Amino acid sequence: MVGRNLVPMEPVTWPAPFDHPDWLFQPKWDGVRILAHVRGPEVRLINRRGRERTAHYPEIVEGVRAVLRGQNAVLDGEMVVFWEGRPSFPRVMRRETAAPGGPSLAVLRRTLPATYMVFDLLHLDGRELIGLELEARQELLRRHLVAGEPVLLTDSFDQGSRLFAAVEERGWEGVVAKRRGSPYRFGKSPLWRKIKVRRRQPCVVGGFTVASGGVVGSLLLGVWREQDLMYVGRAGSGLGGEEREALARVLAETVQPECPFDPVPRMRGPAVRWVAPLLSVLVEYGEWTEGLHLRHPVVVGFNPVPVSACRLP
């Protein structure tokens, strides 16, 4: 069997969706990358950093045993938690951070069940497959993996533009384009391309930074996680000069000494002002980080929804 501490194949960023007969296209799942190492009844789940995740997803261990029927294999896929019809990265991170074997994991297994979306096969019954063409690996995967909840196969499509439009409409993360006839290459490779959807999230303004001239430098953003306002990052992009001046006047009326975020983010200095959580903004962003911060948020609107509706997706 190939080594267990493997760096899975990663796509390079591509600027726009495209169509080409030499490429096939798959949905990009907003989850945690996992290689499943199977030796008969033994299943080990390893993330892209080589860390064991077997105890975090007991339902997936049971599911992989069932769908492979005792074969030896290495599967590549994404661990996903679906919420309201969409993969939710914040919710799969709750599964990632739950103590293995603890009571909270037992509850989360019922309330946030995981799904393993499999898209490649690296090894099967003593045979390494990484040198095979992509289509051959896909055919072996369909033939030997008897898919069923919670272990499912990722579908492939011929038209990248149509798939991108469909995932964008559903609020999914994006599309991965894969070169037909290509082998599996560990690490980042141009044989795979990722085209990501810029998504939107309503956030609560819980503070701001003061720039030169007394205007707003950036807004400190949060979303509600149950009853707590969780800090998710800062955004200054998208704000024009007049908006920064107007925000400074409006937010000055709600400044308070107490930080509204729980836990309190690590911010210091006289340029930081906390405010009562009364204003909501709409931000466009690239993705959630593992620390549950918004990557590259840009302000695109104000008061899109009530403050109470700004919650984790």
Side-chain angles (χ1 to χ4, degrees):
M1 181 178 291
V2 293
R4 292 176 185 255
N5 293 326
L6 304 177
V7 178
M9 190 168 179
E10 296 280 358
V12 299
T13 300
W14 200 253
F18 66 97
D19 299 301
H20 197 284
D22 291 341
W23 295 77
L24 61 79
F25 306 89
Q26 297 177 338
K28 188 178 190 308
W29 303 110
D30 200 5
V32 176
R33 190 72 172 274
I34 292 289
L35 295 179
H37 299 259
V38 187
R39 186 185 293 272
E42 179 193 15
V43 177
R44 294 185 65 192
L45 305 178
I46 310 295
N47 70 11
R48 58 160 52 99
R49 293 183 174 86
R51 297 172 181 168
E52 186 96 20
R53 283 295 180 266
T54 308
H56 288 73
Y57 303 101
E59 70 270 41
I60 302 302
V61 171
E62 296 166 6
V64 169
R65 285 197 192 107
V67 300
L68 276 178
R69 298 177 178 173
Q71 299 177 86
N72 299 331
V74 177
L75 305 174
D76 189 1
E78 196 90 358
M79 200 68 69
V80 177
V81 171
F82 287 96
W83 187 260
E84 297 180 347
R86 300 192 303 269
S88 171
F89 188 74
R91 285 175 170 80
V92 78
M93 289 307 296
R94 290 182 65 184
R95 290 295 304 265
E96 279 285 295
T97 55
S104 63
L105 179 59
V107 173
L108 290 174
R109 179 176 176 177
R110 296 193 303 271
T111 59
L112 298 177
T115 302
Y116 187 37
M117 301 301 304
V118 179
F119 47 72
D120 219 320
L121 180 63
L122 314 188
H123 181 95
L124 180 67
D125 289 335
R127 182 186 178 193
E128 288 196 6
L129 308 178
I130 58 177
L132 292 184
E133 294 183 349
L134 173 62
E135 295 91 329
R137 301 197 310 274
Q138 297 285 299
E139 176 59 30
L140 287 170
L141 190 57
R142 289 190 293 269
R143 190 187 310 166
H144 290 274
L145 189 74
V146 186
E149 290 283 359
V151 180
L152 301 177
L153 286 177
T154 296
D155 291 327
S156 299
F157 300 86
D158 294 326
Q159 295 179 305
S161 297
R162 290 185 63 181
L163 179 60
F164 186 87
V167 301
E168 185 175 33
E169 181 180 358
R170 289 166 172 77
W172 292 9
E173 187 183 15
V175 168
V176 176
K178 299 182 178 181
R179 182 86 179 186
R180 296 182 188 273
S182 61
Y184 191 97
R185 293 285 184 255
F186 297 113
K188 188 163 289 190
S189 170
L191 296 172
W192 288 8
R193 300 170 177 175
K194 60 181 178 182
I195 306 101
K196 303 188 73 172
V197 173
R198 288 285 293 179
R199 292 172 287 180
R200 293 188 170 191
Q201 170 69 39
C203 295
V204 181
V205 177
F208 63 97
T209 62
V210 182
S212 60
V215 302
V216 167
S218 60
L219 299 175
L220 309 182
L221 308 174
V223 295
W224 297 104
R225 182 169 57 182
E226 298 176 353
Q227 303 303 314
D228 297 325
L229 185 62
M230 182 182 73
Y231 175 74
V232 295
R234 63 172 71 190
S237 298
L239 297 176
E242 293 183 0
E243 288 174 319
R244 293 176 188 273
E245 294 176 1
L247 282 168
R249 292 192 296 269
V250 171
L251 294 175
E253 300 178 2
T254 62
V255 169
Q256 62 183 29
E258 301 85 13
C259 174
F261 300 115
D262 186 11
V264 177
R266 295 180 179 177
M267 293 182 184
R268 298 178 182 178
V272 175
R273 302 285 189 273
W274 306 121
V275 299
L278 302 175
L279 175 67
S280 66
V281 297
L282 184 65
V283 298
E284 189 177 81
Y285 68 100
E287 63 184 352
W288 290 92
T289 70
E290 291 188 2
L292 292 186
H293 286 181
L294 299 173
R295 194 181 299 282
H296 307 309
V298 176
V299 178
V300 295
F302 294 91
N303 290 320
V305 297
V307 166
S308 61
C310 300
R311 312 196 71 86
L312 277 176

